[in-house]
Amino acid sequence: MGSPLASLSTAQTALVLTAFFAGLTVVSTALGFALERALPQRRIFAVPLFEGQHRFELLGNAIFLAVTVTTLTAVSRADVIAFGPPSLLRDALTFQAMLVSFQVYYWFLHRAMHTRALVRIHRWHHRSQVTTPLTGQSMSAGEALGWMGAYAGLPWALSHVAPLGFRGLVAYLAFNVFGNIVGHANAEPTAPIAASRAATWFANAFVYHALHHARWTGHYSFQAAFMDRVMGTEWNDWPALYARIAAGHPLTSLKERGDTP
Ligand SMILES: [Zn+2]
Ligand SMILES: [Zn+2]
C-alpha cells in the first residue's frame, strides 16, 4: 500500500508538507520561548546570545524547512515507502522503531559531522553557543540533508522490514520536530527524578545538549543518553551542573565544569 499522500499532485503535496512542518515549527517555537519565560529561575546559561542570533537562526530554520519539504515531497511523489493498512499496533511499532533508529542514526551522523572532513556543514548549528528554541532547526543545507537520511531514509529502510503505519510515522515526525525545537530552550524544566541516570537512558535533561553547544566534543546524542553511554561520549559532570541549575544557579560561563562523581 502506498502513502495516503500519493494521490496528491506535487504542488498539493508540497503545500501539505509546508503546512505541517512550518505549523509545527511555529507552535513549538512559541512553546519553547514560553517555557523560557515561565522558568526564569531555571535558566541554563546566564550568558548573552550573540548579536543577531535570532535572525541568524530564523534563516537556518528557513533552510531546514525548504530542504525538508523538498525532500519529503520528492520521496512522497516517488511513493517508495510501503505503508500497511491502518492499525493502532502498526502505528505504535512504527513510532517506536523511528524513536530508537533515529537516535542511533543521529549519533553517527552527529559524530561524523564533528570530524575534520564534515565539520564545515555543522558549524552553522554550532554558531549558537547558548541555545534558543530557534537553534534546533538552525543549520546548513548540508546538515539538513543529513537529517533527511532520518526523516525519509529511515522510514524507507524500515518499510523493507514491515509496512509502516502512516499515522505512527506522522506522529513520530511531529514528536521529533517538537522535541528538537523545545529541547533547545535555554531553560531546564526536567524534574530531578527525570534527570536521574536511569531516566536519561530514555530522555535527557535539557542541560545535556546545552553542554554540547558550549563544549563541542561529547554528548552527540540528543533525545536520550543511551548512545553516548554505549559509545563513551557522555560527560560525567552534567548531573552536578543539572543540580546547580535546578537549585536556581544558572551557569555563568560556557566553560563551567561540575564536580564529577
Ligand atoms: Zn543542538
Ligand atoms: Zn555538534
Side-chain angles (χ1 to χ4, degrees):
M1 199 178 133
S3 153
L5 299 182
S7 59
L8 302 181
S9 70
T10 303
Q12 286 169 329
T13 307
L15 210 63
V16 167
L17 290 170
T18 302
F20 178 73
F21 284 100
L24 268 172
T25 297
V26 169
V27 170
S28 304
T29 303
L31 286 171
F33 280 116
L35 185 74
E36 289 186 347
R37 270 197 307 278
L39 295 175
Q41 76 286 11
R42 284 287 200 110
R43 198 163 171 203
I44 297 174
F45 278 108
V47 173
L49 303 181
F50 70 80
E51 173 87 21
Q53 181 166 338
H54 285 149
R55 226 173 320 121
F56 178 80
E57 291 177 336
L58 268 173
L59 181 61
N61 275 260
I63 292 168
F64 179 80
L65 289 174
V67 171
T68 301
V69 169
T70 306
T71 307
L72 296 190
T73 298
V75 169
S76 183
R77 295 300 294 155
D79 207 11
V80 288
I81 301 171
F83 291 99
S87 93
L88 213 55
L89 178 65
R90 191 187 301 281
D91 289 330
L93 289 173
T94 298
F95 189 95
Q96 190 62 34
M98 284 297 296
L99 188 75
V100 175
S101 59
F102 179 87
Q103 293 183 67
V104 175
Y105 174 90
Y106 181 72
W107 189 94
F108 282 103
L109 169 70
H110 194 182
R111 181 67 193 84
M113 289 191 300
H114 277 270
T115 58
R116 194 183 290 256
L118 292 180
V119 73
R120 273 179 302 131
I121 66 170
H122 192 41
R123 282 193 196 283
W124 186 305
H125 186 64
H126 271 281
R127 177 102 191 265
S128 308
Q129 291 183 296
V130 173
T131 60
T132 82
L134 284 168
T135 307
Q137 294 186 154
S138 172
M139 63 182 82
S140 70
E143 176 164 355
L145 278 172
W147 277 68
M148 293 309 105
Y151 280 18
L154 287 178
W156 172 79
L158 289 169
S159 77
H160 284 76
V161 180
L164 302 187
F166 182 75
R167 293 171 307 184
L169 178 60
V170 171
Y172 175 75
L173 290 174
F175 166 81
N176 183 292
V177 170
F178 174 82
N180 185 31
I181 292 174
V182 175
H184 276 84
N186 185 26
E188 182 54 87
T190 316
I193 183 115
S196 66
R197 190 175 156 81
T200 50
W201 280 97
F202 305 99
N204 280 328
F206 283 33
V207 66
Y208 190 93
H209 184 70
L211 286 177
H212 175 72
H213 280 264
R215 298 179 178 176
W216 276 77
T217 54
H219 286 197
Y220 302 107
S221 302
F222 183 81
Q223 190 220 313
F226 80 86
M227 279 302 289
D228 283 322
R229 243 162 239 174
V230 170
M231 305 304 277
T233 47
E234 179 182 12
W235 289 302
N236 56 8
D237 69 334
W238 76 260
L241 295 177
Y242 167 81
R244 211 176 285 176
I245 293 158
H249 305 294
L251 312 181
T252 52
S253 152
L254 296 171
K255 294 189 166 59
E256 204 149 337
R257 295 284 182 271
D259 296 332
T260 51

